[in-house]
Amino acid sequence: MTLLYPLDADLDPEARLRLLGRKAAGLNEMTELGIPVPPGFTITTDVGRTYQTKGSLPAGLREAVASALRSLEKRLGRGFGDAHNPLLLSIRSGAEVSMPGMMDTVLNIGLGELTLEGLAAQHGDERFALDAYRRLLQMYGSVVRGIGADRFQHLLSNVKHDLGRPRMLDSELTVPALEGLVASYLSVIETNSRVPFPQDVEMQLWDSIGAVFASWHNPRAVRYRRMQGIDDSIGTACTVQAMVFGNTGPRSGSGVAFTRNPSSGEPQLYGEFLPNAQGEDVVAGIRTPVALTAVASAPGKEASSLELSLPDAFASISSYSALLESHFGDMQDIEFTIEEGEPYLLQTRSAKRTAHAAVRVAVDMVKEGVLSKNDALLRVDARSLEQLLRAQLPGQNDLTSRGIEPLAVGLPAGPGAASGRIVFDADDAVRWASEGQEVILIRQETSAEDIHGMKAAKGVVTGAGGMTSHAAVVARGLGKCCVVGCGGLQINLRDRTVRLRGLEAAEPLREGDMLTLDGSTGRVFAGALDLEASTTVEELRELMSWADAVRRMRVYAEADTPQAARAALSYGAEGVGLCRTERMFFAKDRLFAMRCALLAVEDAQRLEWLSELERAQREDFVEIFHAMKGRPVTIRLLDRALQEFLPDDEPSLQAIADSLDIELEEATKAAARHRESNPDFGHRGVRSGLTVPGLYDMQLRAMLFAARDCVEQGFEVDLEVLIPMIAFTSEVEAVRAALDRANREIFAKPADAFQCRLGAMIELPRACLIAGELAQLVHFFSFGGNDLTQTALGISRDDASRFLPAYRRELGLLASDPFAHLDEEVAELIRIALERGRAVRPDLRAGLCGDQGGSQTSIEVCEKLGLDFVSAPLSQLPGARLAAAQARLR
């Protein structure tokens, strides 16, 4: 096992990422490119994995670190623990997969009573040295000793309040104030951990290394890995670097730069800078930073931008940014520190970006000659394209004309618009969301501890922070609507209220009140405003044309209404792959007719109510056929368990009894006969369609009449009829016979009969096994991913949430949710069915439908299996088209 590497080590790309983690791999490459990076070394992920499995660091590590430190001291001419010329260190984590802000960092290691004066003498600034010391104490206390950061922040706020300036900047604290803070922090550490802060710098170093490795298993890191599907076993590296200081005065500072705008993808340097600050101040969002460029600055603030205040440093950072984007062939997110006018880069990584930005950057880079079209297709996360279909608010002029003005305007940090009820705590956001509430999380600033609440919320608002703050970066990664830097936002946690700038004279908003955010403009409104459809991203059309040219599988939509069918075409669907007819029965008037048909005692009554449903379905089918203009439309016969249509309240049953001219008791008994203990595996699908007299006949007639109507009007119709929950070939034969009867009823001459294709929905393991026999009777297979998963695994999808989270998280028995993506063994059942079906009918078409049809992971499996199509929900159609192309390329 190699224990560590210097940052200028010569490593091949694969080993570099695997051993050093993404952060240190970036530092290593920047060093190779001649970009100024603070020197240091990286303790490898092998050591991190050893620490995770054995709970201790491997033998020989202390000697290796001591040797690496001696080389660092020699290179810099400073000594670790030297009272007169001290070397200070930073300790940072870094896994193979980027986990921004989830693990821990400790800065300024090596400061103590012996080295404090030496640091002050080095820089000629006692105030700076004390500020660095209090930062070390706070980070050490929080990260190593586990003391809540709010304890230290509370003491800092008290000092500012005692000075009569509660809003003063940290950089304005005086020497006496900092001396008092240092004494208070030392006391907090000793009181809360019962062990004094170590003045021994070696102890500081090893305490911090251990804490950084241990942070791999802190709750926020574990939660983030679960959210992102990151393997727990890869572990983290630990990078030790010489400190560079952004808090030495007005010619110093820290910032974040994106090589392109992470919200829009616009090709210009974009980011923020905090003068006289260390890096954690920028990400934490405690202070609102200034813009990097004059053009991005607020009016009147141009002179404070990095471009005009430190032009030489800005020019260097611009040059480094261009070099890094060219080198990596992707938009970069860069962290930097400027010490007395000299810039140093602390990190570069592929930038988190909105879906809009991802699409624009990919298309622009093709036009710039940086990427090929195929590389561009692989560069965009197919799952993120759903963001582009998000709703938005009307323009402000439209709102103003209706007397609607924003309460506050902050920075637009996350896509789309969102409405929800106000909550102030991440745990409350999760709890309210689990109860079906849509919520907006409001915080003064967010931290990594809030990520679960941010994921649960529809949107996030913060009072502090900029476009590169924690809230902004995480919201973009999660695709959440977000507004940051709402100056004047005041949260009262005791009263559970919030005041925004526009509400000084009004009542505050309370927890549970409705709020609407516009993440594209930064506007915040009281109440729930009506939202509009999203705008078109021009570059998406071009990217999708490239994807459509590459992919093999066809992409159909799930659409149950004419409106959905029309929307599907606008999203690029090639047809309707699943029209769930049962959903058409849930409109109020149709639901009553369905209930009467199911509970009718006399055949004549049943046929009367079925005729009413037939007219309604016929009208719907005509409109869907019109909308699809000759494209394939796959209509699934009724699949719901019959009990789901029936009421259990007395007034509803009485209304049905009155319409059927029967007693309430008779209607109640009839409804009870349809009740089942396990409806998912009971009287549903083809079983109900064949056993309720006239039910499937009605649906088949509605389809054929609608097809005839359209053909007579000059419209082409491509109809496919799908039979659900097939277990026996005799069921298919019975439906075929019903289809033939319906054709004979509607078309006088056999030659005029409408030619539609019949398909079997494969949702049961037995259907997979008899696929060869089924293929002799049908034209295509449509695999129902959800039902095939639950029947193969014996897990009810409606009840899976009771134990699957424990299986995945606490017990580690499953790597992922089998209902979200196709399980490997379920995919094997599909392979068996395809093999047996195509052995009989080589031209057999087959595809996947249901919720899994839009899953990127499932689409990759479908490509490997050789399926012909997938059918996806409307919002996932662009992503499914892109994922199908990516699967083909891979």
Side-chain angles (χ1 to χ4, degrees):
M1 179 195 303
T2 304
L3 301 175
L4 59 80
Y5 288 97
L7 289 180
D8 58 1
D10 184 13
L11 291 168
D12 69 80
E14 188 277 329
R16 176 161 48 204
L17 183 59
R18 178 174 51 82
L19 292 170
L20 304 185
R22 191 163 296 276
K23 182 178 293 183
L27 294 171
N28 180 260
E29 289 195 66
M30 286 194 288
T31 302
E32 283 187 0
L33 293 170
I35 294 172
V37 168
F41 55 90
T42 299
I43 304 171
T44 66
T45 54
D46 286 342
V47 175
R49 284 188 286 271
T50 298
Y51 186 87
Q52 308 312 326
T53 56
K54 297 184 178 179
S56 60
L57 296 169
L61 181 62
R62 286 183 178 268
E63 293 77 8
V65 168
S67 175
L69 269 180
R70 285 194 295 273
S71 297
L72 193 58
E73 289 171 325
K74 184 177 180 181
R75 177 174 177 176
L76 296 174
R78 284 177 266 158
F80 186 55
D82 189 310
H84 304 292
N85 191 21
L87 168 65
L88 301 191
L89 303 173
S90 68
I91 309 288
R92 291 183 171 91
S93 60
E96 185 175 341
V97 180
S98 180
M99 295 172 53
M102 296 302 115
M103 291 180 286
D104 291 324
T105 295
V106 185
L107 305 180
N108 303 330
I109 294 164
L111 262 181
E113 294 171 1
L114 286 175
T115 54
L116 188 61
E117 287 188 18
L119 182 67
Q122 271 182 356
H123 294 269
D125 188 346
E126 183 183 7
R127 200 215 71 82
F128 155 72
L130 284 165
D131 184 52
Y133 193 21
R134 68 98 185 168
R135 289 171 183 270
L136 167 62
L137 293 172
Q138 179 167 345
M139 296 184 100
Y140 180 92
S142 300
V143 173
V144 177
R145 298 287 174 87
I147 302 167
D150 57 329
R151 301 291 297 272
F152 300 98
Q153 198 62 37
H154 181 67
L155 290 171
L156 178 60
S157 299
N158 287 346
V159 168
K160 293 179 179 180
H161 190 273
D162 292 344
L163 292 171
R165 295 179 59 198
R167 293 184 177 273
M168 71 187 299
L169 300 177
D170 294 358
S171 57
E172 296 173 326
L173 290 168
T174 62
V175 167
L178 286 166
E179 288 175 332
L181 263 182
V182 165
S184 298
Y185 284 9
L186 286 167
S187 176
V188 165
I189 290 172
E190 184 167 1
T191 300
N192 284 272
S193 64
R194 305 195 179 192
V195 180
F197 172 78
Q199 294 298 325
D200 182 339
V201 296
E202 288 286 333
M203 189 176 293
Q204 291 179 26
L205 173 64
W206 288 102
D207 283 354
S208 300
I209 289 172
V212 166
F213 276 128
S215 71
W216 179 253
H217 285 304
N218 72 40
R220 63 180 184 271
V222 171
R223 189 181 294 123
Y224 184 84
R225 289 198 296 276
R226 287 173 184 161
M227 285 168 48
Q228 301 297 325
I230 299 171
D231 185 355
D232 276 333
S233 68
I234 61 174
T236 183
C238 178
T239 296
V240 180
Q241 284 177 281
M243 280 296 302
V244 289
F245 300 99
N247 57 330
T248 59
R251 297 188 67 249
S252 300
S254 296
V256 175
F258 293 87
T259 55
R260 302 183 189 227
N261 188 306
S263 293
S264 68
E266 189 176 355
Q268 63 179 23
L269 191 65
Y270 181 90
E272 294 168 328
F273 175 71
L274 266 181
N276 202 11
Q278 284 195 320
E280 73 271 17
D281 297 337
V282 182
V283 178
I286 296 169
R287 287 167 54 190
T288 299
V290 299
L292 287 185
T293 61
V295 70
S297 300
K301 300 283 187 181
E302 292 86 354
S304 62
S305 68
L306 179 63
E307 182 179 17
L308 297 184
S309 62
L310 292 171
D312 291 342
F314 174 81
S316 295
I317 290 168
S318 298
S319 174
Y320 301 149
S321 298
L323 174 59
L324 288 169
E325 183 173 281
S326 174
H327 175 74
F328 288 105
D330 194 13
M331 172 183 164
Q332 295 295 292
D333 170 1
I334 297 161
E335 293 180 18
F336 65 88
T337 287
I338 300 171
E339 181 178 327
E340 296 300 331
E342 291 295 324
Y344 296 86
L345 270 59
L346 307 180
Q347 177 166 282
T348 188
R349 61 188 174 196
S350 179
K352 300 285 186 184
R353 64 205 81 174
T354 64
H356 185 161
V359 170
R360 178 169 179 178
V361 169
V363 172
D364 282 354
M365 285 188 165
V366 171
K367 294 176 179 177
E368 294 162 12
V370 177
L371 297 176
S372 68
K373 289 179 181 179
N374 286 353
D375 287 337
L377 289 171
L378 293 170
R379 186 61 57 81
V380 178
D381 182 354
R383 295 167 298 183
S384 73
L385 295 189
E386 195 171 344
Q387 294 177 24
L388 298 179
L389 309 181
R390 290 180 183 275
Q392 62 180 14
L393 283 173
Q396 187 55 52
N397 290 341
D398 186 1
L399 293 174
T400 298
S401 69
R402 291 187 267 155
I404 300 171
E405 296 292 340
L407 300 177
V409 179
L411 300 173
S419 294
R421 299 192 180 278
I422 294 171
V423 295
F424 300 109
D425 178 83
D427 291 336
D428 287 340
V430 172
R431 180 171 57 81
W432 286 39
S434 70
E435 295 169 356
Q437 299 278 3
E438 296 186 342
V439 299
I440 302 294
L441 177 63
I442 297 184
R443 303 284 284 166
Q444 187 59 36
E445 66 261 351
T446 64
S447 70
E449 306 293 344
D450 296 313
I451 190 167
H452 59 303
M454 296 176 72
K455 184 180 182 185
K458 290 294 180 183
V460 180
V461 182
T462 68
M467 293 292 285
T468 56
S469 64
H470 176 272
V473 171
V474 172
R476 280 194 293 270
L478 293 174
K480 295 290 180 180
C481 180
C482 181
V483 176
V484 300
C486 274
L489 181 144
Q490 298 175 23
I491 299 172
N492 185 327
L493 290 178
R494 184 186 63 189
D495 296 337
R496 314 299 283 179
T497 61
V498 60
R499 288 185 181 274
L500 293 136
R501 177 170 287 173
L503 287 178
E504 286 92 341
E507 285 293 312
L509 295 173
R510 300 186 177 278
E511 186 170 56
D513 286 349
M514 292 297 296
L515 201 68
T516 298
L517 315 181
D518 187 340
S520 302
T521 65
R523 297 173 296 167
V524 181
F525 299 87
L529 303 188
D530 290 336
L531 305 180
E532 296 181 341
S534 60
T535 55
T536 301
V537 178
E538 287 302 319
E539 292 83 3
L540 180 61
R541 189 175 289 110
E542 189 164 7
L543 188 79
M544 287 293 99
S545 72
W546 301 342
D548 292 341
V550 167
R551 64 183 168 85
R552 180 190 60 82
M553 286 188 293
R554 304 189 77 175
V555 177
Y556 298 140
E558 296 179 2
D560 314 317
T561 66
Q563 295 83 0
R566 287 188 285 271
L569 285 184
S570 70
Y571 295 157
E574 298 175 89
V576 173
L578 181 62
C579 176
R580 296 178 171 94
T581 54
E582 59 270 9
R583 293 187 178 179
M584 297 174 171
F585 297 140
F586 281 99
K588 189 174 182 181
D589 55 337
R590 299 180 185 186
L591 181 58
F592 186 77
M594 183 67 170
R595 288 171 169 177
C596 290
L598 292 177
L599 299 186
V601 177
E602 302 292 335
D603 290 343
Q605 284 182 317
R606 180 180 303 105
L607 290 175
E608 180 183 342
W609 289 107
L610 287 175
S611 295
E612 185 171 324
L613 291 171
E614 182 181 324
R615 284 191 295 273
Q617 289 223 301
R618 178 176 175 177
E619 292 170 2
D620 283 346
F621 294 151
V622 166
E623 286 198 61
I624 290 173
F625 292 149
H626 279 178
M628 296 314 292
K629 300 176 182 176
R631 295 173 179 84
V633 176
T634 305
I635 300 177
R636 184 178 70 185
L637 293 163
L638 182 75
D639 187 36
R640 284 282 182 101
L642 297 181
Q643 72 171 35
E644 295 185 30
F645 295 102
L646 298 176
D648 29 35
D649 62 292
E650 187 173 309
S652 297
L653 286 166
Q654 183 65 63
I656 295 168
D658 292 344
S659 294
L660 296 175
D661 194 24
I662 59 176
E663 296 297 322
L664 172 62
E665 182 180 3
E666 192 171 0
T668 303
K669 287 180 178 177
R673 285 194 291 272
H674 287 296
R675 304 288 176 205
E676 299 179 273
S677 58
N678 195 350
D680 275 349
F681 301 99
H683 197 196
R684 61 168 285 204
V686 70
R687 303 158 194 167
S688 58
L690 294 176
T691 56
V692 174
L695 185 55
Y696 271 9
D697 297 274
M698 174 273 293
Q699 289 198 294
L700 291 167
R701 280 196 306 272
M703 295 178 208
L704 294 178
F705 270 124
R708 188 193 69 179
D709 294 345
C710 289
V711 171
E712 289 176 351
Q713 296 166 20
F715 289 95
E716 186 179 344
V717 174
D718 187 355
L719 170 63
E720 299 183 331
V721 179
L722 185 59
I723 313 170
M725 291 298 285
I726 289 293
F728 307 99
T729 54
S730 55
E731 294 167 325
V732 179
E733 290 168 344
V735 174
R736 282 183 62 171
L739 181 60
D740 290 341
R741 278 197 308 273
N743 251 320
R744 288 195 298 271
E745 289 177 26
I746 297 168
F747 300 96
K749 299 177 182 177
D752 295 335
F754 188 82
Q755 300 302 311
C756 62
R757 292 183 296 279
L758 198 62
M761 196 162 188
I762 309 296
E763 302 165 274
L764 302 172
R766 191 179 194 277
C768 295
L769 298 177
I770 63 167
E773 299 168 51
L774 292 173
Q776 298 178 53
L777 301 172
V778 299
H779 300 89
F780 69 97
F781 288 168
S782 186
F783 293 94
N786 289 331
D787 275 314
L788 187 56
T789 297
Q790 74 170 352
T791 55
L793 273 60
I795 298 174
S796 165
R797 59 180 168 178
D798 294 328
D799 299 313
S801 61
R802 297 176 184 271
F803 68 92
L804 274 187
Y807 262 45
R808 293 175 55 205
R809 297 168 188 169
E810 287 83 1
L811 301 176
L813 301 179
L814 288 176
S816 62
D817 182 348
F819 289 102
H821 313 295
L822 273 177
D823 174 78
E824 287 184 12
E825 302 309 319
V826 174
E828 178 64 10
L829 283 173
I830 295 175
R831 188 196 62 76
I832 291 170
L834 285 173
E835 185 178 275
R836 296 183 180 186
R838 286 175 174 165
V840 172
R841 184 189 284 268
D843 62 346
L844 179 76
R845 289 173 53 252
L848 177 72
C849 66
D851 294 339
Q852 294 172 337
S855 156
Q856 182 176 7
T857 304
S858 299
I859 287 171
E860 290 181 4
V861 175
C862 292
E863 177 67 33
K864 292 175 183 175
L865 288 169
L867 293 183
D868 301 294
F869 64 88
V870 293
S871 183
L874 287 182
S875 63
Q876 295 178 14
L877 280 171
R881 290 163 64 196
L882 178 57
Q886 292 173 338
R888 184 66 169 162
L889 290 172
R890 291 185 177 120

mmCIF file with all atom_site columns, all heavy atoms in Angstrom, residues 108 512 703:
data_model
loop_
_atom_site.group_PDB
_atom_site.id
_atom_site.type_symbol
_atom_site.label_atom_id
_atom_site.label_alt_id
_atom_site.label_comp_id
_atom_site.label_asym_id
_atom_site.label_entity_id
_atom_site.label_seq_id
_atom_site.pdbx_PDB_ins_code
_atom_site.Cartn_x
_atom_site.Cartn_y
_atom_site.Cartn_z
_atom_site.occupancy
_atom_site.B_iso_or_equiv
_atom_site.pdbx_formal_charge
_atom_site.auth_seq_id
_atom_site.auth_comp_id
_atom_site.auth_asym_id
_atom_site.auth_atom_id
_atom_site.pdbx_PDB_model_num
ATOM 1  N N   . ASN A 1 108 ? -5.313  26.175 9.398   1.00 0.00 ? 108 ASN A N   1
ATOM 2  C CA  . ASN A 1 108 ? -4.427  26.888 10.339  1.00 0.00 ? 108 ASN A CA  1
ATOM 3  C C   . ASN A 1 108 ? -3.816  25.985 11.402  1.00 0.00 ? 108 ASN A C   1
ATOM 4  O O   . ASN A 1 108 ? -3.457  26.435 12.494  1.00 0.00 ? 108 ASN A O   1
ATOM 5  C CB  . ASN A 1 108 ? -5.161  28.058 11.021  1.00 0.00 ? 108 ASN A CB  1
ATOM 6  C CG  . ASN A 1 108 ? -5.734  29.046 10.025  1.00 0.00 ? 108 ASN A CG  1
ATOM 7  O OD1 . ASN A 1 108 ? -5.188  29.219 8.938   1.00 0.00 ? 108 ASN A OD1 1
ATOM 8  N ND2 . ASN A 1 108 ? -6.841  29.691 10.380  1.00 0.00 ? 108 ASN A ND2 1
ATOM 9  N N   . GLY A 1 512 ? -45.754 27.915 7.990   1.00 0.00 ? 512 GLY A N   1
ATOM 10 C CA  . GLY A 1 512 ? -46.984 27.379 7.414   1.00 0.00 ? 512 GLY A CA  1
ATOM 11 C C   . GLY A 1 512 ? -47.641 28.307 6.420   1.00 0.00 ? 512 GLY A C   1
ATOM 12 O O   . GLY A 1 512 ? -48.503 27.874 5.649   1.00 0.00 ? 512 GLY A O   1
ATOM 13 N N   . MET A 1 703 ? -62.503 1.907  -28.848 1.00 0.00 ? 703 MET A N   1
ATOM 14 C CA  . MET A 1 703 ? -61.275 2.092  -29.635 1.00 0.00 ? 703 MET A CA  1
ATOM 15 C C   . MET A 1 703 ? -61.558 2.000  -31.133 1.00 0.00 ? 703 MET A C   1
ATOM 16 O O   . MET A 1 703 ? -61.109 2.833  -31.924 1.00 0.00 ? 703 MET A O   1
ATOM 17 C CB  . MET A 1 703 ? -60.233 1.029  -29.247 1.00 0.00 ? 703 MET A CB  1
ATOM 18 C CG  . MET A 1 703 ? -59.712 1.113  -27.842 1.00 0.00 ? 703 MET A CG  1
ATOM 19 S SD  . MET A 1 703 ? -58.528 -0.249 -27.544 1.00 0.00 ? 703 MET A SD  1
ATOM 20 C CE  . MET A 1 703 ? -58.732 -0.476 -25.779 1.00 0.00 ? 703 MET A CE  1
#
